[in-house]
Amino acid sequence: MKAETSLRAPLISVGLISAAALAYEILLMRLFSIIQWHHFAYMVISLALLGYGISGTLVSLLQGALNRRFHVVYPLLLFLFSLSSSGCFLLVQTLPFNPQALLWDLRQVWYLLGIFLLFSIPFILAASAICLVFVHYSGQIAKIYGTDLLGAGLGSIAAVVLLFFTFPLTALLLISLSGLGATLIALQELHRLPLKHFWTNNRSFTFLTLLAGLLLLSTFHLWKLETSPYKELSRTLNIKGTQLIEEHSSPLGLLSIVRSLQVPFRHAPGLSLNNFQEPPEQLALFSDASNMSAITRYPDTLQKLSYLDQMTSALPYHLNDIRRLLIVGSGGGSDILQANFHKSGKIDAVELNPKIIELMSKRFAAYSGGIYNQDNIKVYTGDVRGFLGGIQAPHKEPYDLIQISLIDSFNASASGLYALNESYLYTVEALQSYLRHLGPEGYLSISRWVKTPPRDALKMFATSIKALEQSQIGPAAHHLVLIRGWQTSTLLVKKTPFSRSEIEEVKEFCRTRAFDLVWYPGIKAEEANRFNRFKEAYFYQAAAALLSGSKDQFLQDYKYYLYPATDDKPFFHHFFRWSVLEELFSLRDQGGLALVEMGYIILFATLILAIVSSIVLILLPLVVFHFRSRTQTELSLPAGERLRIFVYFFSIGLAFLFIEIAMMQKFILFLHHPIFAIPVVLTAFLVFAGLGSLWTARLLTRFPAKRLLFRVVLGIVGLGLFYSYSLASFFTQAAAYPLALKIALSLIFIAPLALCMGMPFPLALDRLRSSESLYIPWAWGVNGCASVISAILAGLLAIHFGFTLVILFALGLYLLSLAVFKADQA
């Protein structure tokens, strides 16, 4: 069947299935974050998106048969997407996958492969449907691609909105039902029937679609999230007498509240071994089945909170009077209780998750003593850097203490599952911001988990040194104090040098609680490593080296990556170095592999798998085309032209996602919250790129293709360079703007860049249609494979070189696409 250029393409169903597919992608990351861990979700979804590459290969090889049966195959693909989207996730939950054992348990590799294949199925079906529309209506490519991007943009924001109002499994059901809705709309679009004749002419397919919808609704009560048995919540619920009493969901996480009736919770991380006061009754609060914190029953006397004075985080309260305090990540309120015990003055608390604030202010207010509602406490929703930037800051009076305590999970952090976690909380620029908001005698207090071999506390120490140096506060050695217990460490950073009396208080605090001194101005080697002893005073030796003239050599030689994180490379939890992998692997029988930063290794392995898979998917159609060209002359494209097509579509596939991912990270600093930045940036890029695609057809009537592409690429390069080096300064100046205005400004900034980025793909596909139309699905597949590689490669490049270089590399790829483009052939 020849392409239908006169009939209108089924644009409504294309937009709806594109929206459903992208919403499904975002939702899967949320679901997999709950049942496993976030960064394995990221990697599995990246692999699953190879479904777009697979779809191009399938349609390339079968396009004749599929095109002849388009009116049946297209709605059937939409129908199958709706069933597989929920069915594949439920099947994945039955696989006993443990990512932490991936390097030493071969079975986990097969489980991971099974997850990859199952998650690929819905994307293969949705992408094949869209690709088939490109083939069947090749004269309307710009409209189809524009509708695809517009639908994807709306789907991305719809997924986030859904998660504000429904639990993740309910959102999954709604996405599956939307696929069935797209099927019914496709049937009507393809046959162009009045609604009164629709049922009669599509009786069988309509009945099957409605039956499938009833099946999904009737079985929904059986669906449940099967959390990994290795996560903290699962292990806790295995304890006799524990019960899950409440769950609350939002895009920021699934909050689970657990009561223990027989074995009381005693959550006090890093508690001194000299402590004798038991904590009061507690409820456990989990986020995404990990990151445990505690909601403590408020006691009848403050003396029953004395255990909070036996933690390393209590140190600053013994050095000075804390009249004004900022707590970052107030959670279940332990830091607030600690401040109340020490009779602090006014307390500002910043909490990222508004659901936690709601629970503590209302549902558990009586249980927790109404600590979120006390007169001396004000709790703000948001990110601390946004708060300090002036969005919500109610005053400019400096703080006596800014406290950041154990915000991330010990288990995930210790196993390297946070290795790829972008965090703007612990960058050099973040610490400089905190210091600016301290009074002259104020303290920045950061508590971290103690790991062996040492890394977290040391990287924080190195970051503080750099922040002090860049703020022209020094010498840094006089402004730092670091102590550690058996489980936690606390770093104090002060704008003015620590006084002799403060140092004596630090020493007394550690002596009475059996905490170890790591660094204070004037420390002697024999004072370190006395209570919680290592074979050598590793922490002290590292701190001394970082403050010495041999700092650079120490950072270069140390077996973990301790270079400070920056806003351009915000990967504080990245410690992996390739140079130690061989040594750790040789110690695998002695637990060596447990010290590997798993997140980084798995991301790298995923990239290799994605590249190998893409090579197979891209080359397979060419091999088949080679043999078919003996009978089909339209397939006998010279090798040089095939290479030109490959380079063009692969380059723009890489470049589009490089810029999109890098801009998401940059706008997190402007909008101060991923839940705002990611949907705003993603939706803006997709919607405006879709509009750019729709505009392409009109522009091609006015300009030759080569000249149009030259102007488009020139616009992308110019805007990309301008944003790379100018956005940060603008974001700083506009930090105090209202959120609504900042979202509007974000859309204004992204719009021209995204409009340009939406044009190269349909422009080249239109040129391809006029000469080698049978290569359209292959070009779609090449672009899809490049997108998957881009999503993984962008993260690796950013870890090592920063997001600015990611953008610059993308701009180079756009210039490469211009160089290989020909007006008569793509």
Side-chain angles (χ1 to χ4, degrees):
M1 180 184 293
K2 294 182 179 180
E4 297 183 12
T5 57
S6 58
L7 296 178
R8 192 172 61 200
L11 298 180
I12 298 176
S13 57
V14 166
L16 185 55
I17 199 61
S18 181
L22 198 71
Y24 182 61
E25 176 189 345
I26 293 173
L27 180 62
L28 277 183
M29 297 189 73
R30 181 91 289 279
L31 287 166
F32 213 73
S33 296
I34 297 170
I35 65 173
Q36 290 287 344
W37 281 275
H38 165 69
H39 293 296
F40 289 94
Y42 170 79
M43 286 174 272
V44 169
I45 300 308
S46 295
L47 279 177
L49 285 174
L50 272 174
Y52 279 81
I54 295 172
S55 72
T57 298
L58 289 176
V59 177
S60 293
L61 301 180
L62 304 173
Q63 60 182 301
L66 295 176
N67 203 20
R68 286 191 296 272
R69 298 171 179 83
F70 175 81
H71 290 73
V72 174
V73 174
Y74 175 64
L76 180 61
L77 290 171
L78 305 186
F79 175 80
L80 293 175
F81 165 83
S82 65
L83 296 184
S84 64
S85 57
S86 53
C88 288
F89 174 76
L90 297 176
L91 284 174
V92 161
Q93 291 196 112
T94 66
L95 299 177
F97 177 56
N98 176 18
Q100 291 168 288
L102 199 56
L103 287 182
W104 57 83
D105 184 355
L106 184 61
R107 292 174 301 174
Q108 302 305 322
V109 177
W110 294 108
Y111 293 144
L112 181 62
L113 181 60
I115 292 172
F116 156 54
L117 292 175
L118 284 169
F119 276 162
S120 292
I121 292 172
F123 294 104
I124 293 171
L125 295 166
S128 295
I130 297 170
C131 184
L132 196 56
V133 174
F134 277 124
V135 173
H136 201 72
Y137 298 92
S138 59
Q140 303 174 52
I141 284 175
K143 287 184 179 180
I144 298 166
Y145 184 62
T147 303
D148 173 34
L149 291 179
L150 287 169
L154 296 176
S156 66
I157 200 165
V160 176
V161 171
L162 269 179
L163 290 170
F164 272 114
F165 298 101
T166 66
F167 277 79
L169 281 179
T170 305
L172 179 62
L173 173 66
L174 293 174
I175 288 172
S176 294
L177 293 175
S178 69
L180 295 178
T183 304
L184 294 174
I185 291 172
L187 291 171
Q188 198 278 331
E189 285 185 300
L190 294 178
H191 295 90
R192 308 295 174 192
L193 296 170
L195 290 178
K196 63 181 180 179
H197 298 305
F198 176 73
W199 168 259
T200 304
N201 289 270
N202 297 284
R203 181 176 301 169
S204 299
F205 217 146
T206 303
F207 177 77
L208 185 63
T209 303
L210 296 175
L211 183 63
L214 290 174
L215 178 65
L216 291 172
L217 291 169
S218 62
T219 59
F220 178 68
H221 68 283
L222 300 175
W223 299 9
K224 63 178 181 178
L225 292 176
E226 301 289 349
T227 305
S228 167
Y230 306 100
K231 297 195 80 171
E232 293 169 86
L233 176 60
S234 299
R235 296 203 308 270
T236 300
L237 291 176
N238 284 331
I239 300 172
K240 188 176 181 180
T242 56
Q243 57 184 229
L244 180 65
I245 59 175
E246 288 188 25
E247 282 193 316
H248 301 270
S249 181
S250 78
L252 287 171
L254 178 68
L255 299 178
S256 306
I257 300 151
V258 177
R259 175 189 291 124
S260 183
L261 300 176
Q262 297 187 23
V263 183
F265 288 115
R266 295 290 184 263
H267 186 72
L271 193 65
S272 167
L273 297 177
N274 293 347
N275 173 68
F276 294 101
Q277 174 68 54
E278 285 196 16
E281 176 189 332
Q282 294 178 331
L283 298 174
L285 174 64
F286 296 89
S287 178
D288 284 346
S290 60
N291 299 325
M292 177 182 167
S293 60
I295 303 174
T296 303
R297 182 183 288 279
Y298 204 82
D300 51 2
T301 64
L302 281 179
Q303 187 57 34
K304 293 183 179 179
L305 295 176
S306 63
Y307 73 97
L308 293 170
D309 191 44
Q310 301 295 310
M311 302 165 69
T312 60
S313 57
L315 174 60
Y317 296 102
H318 289 259
L319 305 187
N320 211 334
D321 291 332
I322 306 300
R323 297 180 302 275
R324 183 171 292 280
L325 164 65
L326 174 62
I327 293 173
V328 180
S330 49
S334 295
D335 290 336
I336 297 176
L337 290 176
Q338 188 181 62
N340 282 345
F341 175 78
H342 290 97
K343 297 181 173 54
S344 297
K346 295 182 180 179
I347 301 173
D348 289 336
V350 179
E351 171 55 48
L352 201 61
N353 193 335
K355 188 64 71 174
I356 291 179
I357 297 176
E358 181 184 341
L359 290 173
M360 295 297 296
S361 302
K362 298 177 181 177
R363 173 68 179 86
F364 293 98
Y367 183 91
S368 63
I371 57 172
Y372 269 45
N373 303 320
Q374 293 176 359
D375 292 339
N376 67 320
I377 297 171
K378 291 184 179 180
V379 184
Y380 300 88
T381 303
D383 168 83
V384 64
R385 294 185 65 177
F387 174 82
L388 293 176
I391 295 176
Q392 296 171 313
H395 53 75
K396 293 297 182 182
E397 187 176 345
Y399 290 104
D400 300 311
L401 173 63
I402 297 176
Q403 187 175 49
I404 307 173
S405 298
L406 306 176
I407 287 180
D408 45 62
S409 161
F410 173 75
N411 289 328
S413 184
S415 59
L417 297 178
Y418 280 144
L420 310 176
N421 187 36
E422 307 95 337
S423 175
Y424 292 96
L425 192 64
Y426 302 121
T427 65
V428 172
E429 293 86 348
L431 266 61
Q432 289 179 290
S433 173
Y434 306 149
L435 291 171
R436 284 195 295 271
H437 288 83
L438 287 174
E441 299 298 318
Y443 310 102
L444 168 63
S445 174
I446 302 176
S447 295
R448 301 290 307 161
W449 301 104
V450 168
K451 301 177 190 174
T452 52
R455 44 198 185 275
D456 264 50
L458 300 184
K459 190 165 187 174
M460 198 72 259
F461 197 77
T463 306
S464 301
I465 293 170
K466 188 168 184 178
L468 287 167
E469 291 173 347
Q470 291 190 356
S471 299
Q472 297 182 338
I473 299 174
H478 297 164
H479 299 261
L480 297 169
V481 165
L482 178 61
I483 67 171
R484 67 172 176 88
W486 65 276
Q487 191 183 29
T488 64
S489 67
T490 293
L491 170 68
L492 295 188
V493 188
K494 192 181 177 192
K495 293 174 71 173
T496 56
F498 282 94
S499 66
R500 185 180 299 275
S501 62
E502 287 175 317
I503 292 172
E504 291 303 317
E505 288 291 346
V506 170
K507 292 158 71 171
E508 178 64 15
F509 178 86
C510 290
R511 184 188 65 79
T512 57
R513 293 161 180 78
F515 293 148
D516 287 285
L517 295 163
V518 175
W519 180 263
Y520 69 80
I523 189 174
K524 298 177 182 178
E526 58 268 21
E527 295 181 88
N529 199 37
R530 295 179 56 195
F531 299 106
N532 308 280
R533 300 190 66 178
F534 292 102
K535 183 178 179 180
E536 295 183 36
Y538 299 118
F539 281 86
Y540 163 74
Q541 292 168 3
L546 288 168
L547 287 164
S548 70
S550 60
K551 176 180 68 173
D552 293 339
Q553 189 64 44
F554 172 80
L555 289 172
Q556 183 178 333
D557 294 341
Y558 198 71
K559 293 189 177 182
Y560 286 95
Y561 186 89
L562 299 183
Y563 287 92
T566 65
D567 283 351
D568 195 45
K569 295 195 288 185
F571 300 95
F572 174 80
H573 303 277
H574 169 62
F575 301 104
F576 177 79
R577 302 193 94 144
W578 283 104
S579 58
V580 300
L581 183 60
E582 182 179 357
E583 178 183 351
L584 293 175
F585 193 79
S586 68
L587 298 173
R588 61 188 180 279
D589 295 331
Q590 303 172 45
L593 290 181
L595 302 177
V596 177
E597 297 296 312
M598 291 293 297
Y600 183 92
I601 288 292
I602 301 303
L603 180 65
F604 186 80
T606 304
L607 176 63
I608 298 302
L609 183 55
I611 291 173
V612 172
S613 301
S614 297
I615 290 173
V616 173
L617 293 172
I618 291 167
L619 292 183
L620 182 59
L622 289 182
V623 173
V624 176
F625 287 173
H626 173 73
F627 289 102
R628 288 184 181 177
S629 64
R630 299 172 182 177
T631 57
Q632 301 178 44
T633 56
E634 60 268 35
L635 288 172
S636 57
L637 196 62
E641 293 306 315
R642 293 179 184 179
L643 179 62
R644 189 184 294 274
I645 295 172
F646 165 76
V647 171
Y648 182 92
F649 285 98
F650 197 82
S651 296
I652 62 173
L654 283 176
F656 191 101
L657 256 74
F658 274 2
I659 292 178
E660 191 176 60
I661 290 171
M663 286 297 175
M664 283 182 194
Q665 296 301 321
K666 287 183 176 292
F667 276 85
I668 286 175
L669 280 175
F670 186 45
L671 300 177
H672 301 298
H673 201 308
I675 205 60
F676 296 127
I678 291 175
V680 167
V681 174
L682 185 59
T683 301
F685 264 104
L686 292 173
V687 168
F688 285 110
L691 293 175
S693 177
L694 294 173
W695 196 20
T696 301
R698 181 176 299 179
L699 291 175
L700 281 172
T701 63
R702 299 175 55 190
F703 302 101
K706 183 77 173 184
R707 185 187 303 173
L708 177 59
L709 182 64
F710 174 80
R711 295 184 178 185
V712 166
V713 170
L714 186 64
I716 294 171
V717 171
L719 289 168
L721 289 173
F722 177 72
Y723 290 166
S724 295
Y725 296 102
S726 302
L727 278 181
S729 59
F730 174 80
F731 288 168
T732 301
Q733 296 173 9
Y737 288 5
L739 178 62
L741 176 58
K742 295 174 83 169
I743 290 175
L745 288 172
S746 299
L747 297 176
I748 292 171
F749 273 122
I750 293 170
L753 179 60
L755 280 168
C756 293
M757 288 169 57
M759 295 182 185
F761 183 83
L763 192 154
L765 218 57
D766 184 77
R767 296 293 91 192
L768 200 61
R769 174 190 63 83
S770 63
S771 53
E772 292 89 24
S773 61
L774 291 178
Y775 281 85
I776 288 177
W778 183 67
W780 166 267
V782 169
N783 189 261
C785 290
S787 297
V788 178
I789 294 172
S790 177
I792 307 168
L793 187 58
L796 284 171
L797 288 174
I799 286 172
H800 294 286
F801 305 106
F803 283 107
T804 297
L805 184 134
V806 172
I807 294 176
L808 296 178
F809 189 39
L811 300 182
L813 288 170
Y814 273 115
L815 290 172
L816 176 62
S817 69
L818 175 63
V820 300
F821 182 83
K822 290 174 61 176
D824 56 338
Q825 295 179 3

